[in-house]
Every structure is written in C-alpha cells, then in structure tokens.
Amino acid sequence: MDYIVTEHGIKLFQNDFDLDETLDCGQAFRWERAESKYKCTYKGFFLDRPLEISFDGEGFIFHNVSEEEFLSVWADYFDLSTDYGLLKKQFSGDDTLKKACGFAGGIRLLKQDAWECLCSFIISQNNNIPRIKGIISRLCGHYGHFPSAAELASETSDSLSYLRSGFRAKYIVDAAQKAASGEVNLNSISGMDIEDARKALMTIKGVGPKVAECVLLFGMHRTEAFPVDVWIKRVMEQYYPQGIPDFVRGNEGIAQQYLFHYIRNLEKQPEKGNTEENVTK
DNA sequence: TTCCAGGCGTATC
DNA sequence: GATACGCATGGA
C-alpha cells in the first residue's frame, strides 16, 4: 500500500480506483458527492464512522484520518489488499468483460456492513437508486445513525411510514426481528457454504435470490456471489447465453460490477445506429 | 397519462 | 416448477 501521512490526513496513491465509479455505482447508498476545492470529494459512512475522501488528481485524501484508523478501517473497507489490476487482466480474456473493465475500471468492491446491506437491498427491490438513497437517508436521519436490527425490531410498517418505502416497510421489520432475535445470524451466515447462506437469508420476508446475492457480495464480501437483476439479465441474454466464462470463477461478483455499470451506461447513452431515435414519426 | 425502477410474495396451473 | 400479477412511491 502506497500512502503518506500528512497534516490533513492520509494520502493514498492507488491504481484501479475511481470515487464516482466506486461510491456512486449502486453498491452503497450512503455516499454523497460534495463540493470542494478538489477534483472530486465524497462524504459518507462505514457503520457510524464518517469519512470525507477526495481525489486531487494524483492521490486519494482521507481527511482527518489517522494512520491507525486508515489501516484498521478504511484500507479494509475499500478492499485495498485486492489487486484489481490483476483481476481486470484476467477478465480481459473475454471481449465483453474487457470492454466493461475499460469503461469503468475504477470500480472497487466495498466491504460493507452485513446488516446495513441487508436493509438497503430489501429497500432496493423494484425501486430506483435515487429513491433508495432517499429512503435510507430518512431512516438514518430519524435515528441519527443507521439503526441496528434491535432498534428496528420494535418498529411496525405504520411507524416506518415516514420512510415512504411502500410495501417494503414490513420486510424491513421482519428482517430486523429475525436478525435481532438471532433467528437469522448474519455473522454465522457469512461463513456458511454459499447455498446454505442463500437459503438462510431467504427465510426473511422480502429477501429473494437477488437481495440474498447482494447481501452476500456487498455485505459479506463473498466475491463468488452473482446478483442477477434486470440489467444483468440483459447482459446474460445478450452476451453470455452459455454463462459467464470459467476463468472468472470465484470473482463473479466483481465481474458483475463492471458489467452492471457498462450495460447501464450503454443503454443510457446508446451508440449511434443502435437506437430507435430515427424511426418514422 | 403511462411507464418504470439493482424483486418478491402469492395464486394458479 | 413455471408463469402471471399486484405492490407503494415518485421521477421521467
């Protein structure tokens, strides 16, 4: 790890890392881009620990962070011990993945908290990213932090109406009650065989295959987890009718992140000739 | 107005 | 086990 300690905090020199691509790609929902004198700044949280992080054109500044905190918290959260350059090199044996890595090669997989991740992806179902962020923001605003399972276990869908989370409120309550009672033990699930882990997570109401996979990938860093949402379904149909190539095995989830970002952007800004813009009116 | 969003529960066959 | 449908909310 290449970093220096400065009077403002830590300055990290890191390849394969882009703040927009990592913090605003739909894997985490509590990071906001902030105005600053730097090229790019984000403010957000891991658990109850706040962070302001900037890119100044050459390095990543972890504002007012001690070396001890950087090494024990943030280096792990940003998965700095994984060589994403090497992974991308491996992925580039496949044409589509090569393009995806070239498009958003600065994505890193955040090692998030399992409980926050479970709540967040329950909220994400049949929803869009701005609204997911809004609901989570109202939730944290209400408690002053991201509420624990124990805190949410005594809520009801009525008492959570201020979230405007719709039909998902009852699912949040069920997840909180099961996690708080120990009926669902996120800590032990994280170490289970992945099939057993999926089943255990799916005993929660509102947790199906997609949400379970997201919790495994983003909240338990199980990089072999492969969430299939509407976007990835399109990728699979269009590019991988035979399935994801074998050499990706073990890192399907990381490949998924590159593909997700790639396909979403392709459809947002379609290349010329690939649209229906010019059909007869 | 209608459609859609990082899906899932339920009913029905 | 497969498939169809409703679901809360809000932005486009």
Side-chain angles (χ1 to χ4, degrees):
Chain A
M1 226 178 301
D2 185 9
Y3 69 90
I4 55 174
V5 181
T6 77
E7 56 179 321
H8 306 296
I10 301 296
K11 185 163 178 176
L12 167 73
F13 303 92
Q14 178 68 55
N15 293 327
D16 314 302
F17 186 22
D18 180 276
L19 292 177
D20 286 317
E21 290 170 8
T22 297
L23 296 174
D24 194 26
C25 71
Q27 63 172 321
F29 304 99
R30 280 210 291 161
W31 292 95
E32 295 295 339
R33 214 175 201 283
E35 285 302 314
S36 74
K37 63 175 179 177
Y38 300 100
K39 293 187 96 169
C40 178
T41 293
Y42 274 81
K43 293 182 182 179
F45 297 86
F46 168 59
L47 294 170
D48 290 337
R49 198 179 285 261
L51 176 67
E52 181 173 347
I53 184 171
S54 299
F55 182 64
D56 69 1
E58 57 176 24
F60 297 88
I61 299 158
F62 292 69
H63 297 276
N64 304 310
V65 167
S66 69
E67 184 172 19
E68 191 278 330
E69 178 183 348
F70 173 69
L71 293 173
S72 65
V73 179
W74 300 113
D76 189 56
Y77 181 78
F78 286 101
D79 198 19
L80 297 184
S81 61
T82 298
D83 186 346
Y84 282 76
L86 183 60
L87 285 173
K88 286 188 285 181
K89 210 169 185 179
Q90 291 169 10
F91 292 166
S92 294
D94 172 85
D95 255 10
T96 303
L97 263 170
K98 184 173 185 177
K99 283 182 198 160
C101 292
F103 172 72
I107 297 177
R108 305 183 75 84
L109 205 61
L110 299 170
K111 291 187 174 180
Q112 301 182 67
D113 175 64
W115 165 247
E116 178 177 330
C117 202
L118 172 59
C119 272
S120 299
F121 281 93
I122 284 173
I123 291 166
S124 79
Q125 68 180 96
N126 196 225
N127 214 340
N128 57 58
I129 292 176
R131 231 175 72 78
I132 298 163
K133 288 172 105 169
I135 292 167
I136 292 171
S137 164
R138 289 190 284 278
L139 181 65
C140 294
H142 183 82
Y143 281 94
H145 55 263
F146 196 98
S148 66
E151 284 175 303
L152 281 175
S154 56
E155 301 285 2
T156 63
S157 44
D158 277 345
S159 73
L160 291 178
S161 61
Y162 68 93
L163 294 178
R164 284 171 277 150
S165 62
F167 61 88
R168 307 165 191 86
K170 56 184 180 290
Y171 301 152
I172 297 170
V173 174
D174 188 63
Q177 289 174 348
K178 288 195 166 98
S181 72
E183 187 179 337
V184 168
N185 185 332
L186 295 178
N187 209 28
S188 78
I189 288 174
S190 68
M192 284 182 185
D193 172 81
I194 196 152
E195 273 304 327
D196 294 335
R198 286 179 179 123
K199 280 182 197 158
L201 287 168
M202 284 167 56
T203 63
I204 298 165
K205 285 192 190 116
V207 178
K210 158 65 169 58
V211 172
E213 216 66 5
C214 284
V215 174
L216 283 161
L217 180 60
F218 303 126
M220 299 176 174
H221 203 68
R222 297 289 292 262
T223 56
E224 75 272 40
F226 189 77
V228 177
D229 66 348
V230 290
W231 296 98
I232 295 297
K233 196 172 287 176
R234 286 172 212 172
V235 171
M236 297 305 289
E237 285 165 2
Q238 197 172 342
Y239 299 104
Y240 301 104
Q242 318 291 335
I244 292 286
D246 247 9
F247 59 82
V248 177
R249 188 146 305 169
N251 295 116
E252 291 90 335
I254 297 174
Q256 191 266 16
Q257 282 301 97
Y258 295 123
L259 291 169
F260 177 75
H261 206 79
Y262 177 61
I263 191 75
R264 270 172 59 101
N265 210 275
L266 260 193
E267 300 205 6
K268 253 190 273 178
Q269 302 170 354
E271 291 165 55
K272 277 188 181 173
N274 199 20
T275 80
E276 294 178 44
E277 296 284 280
N278 298 321
V279 293
T280 315
K281 286 172 190 157

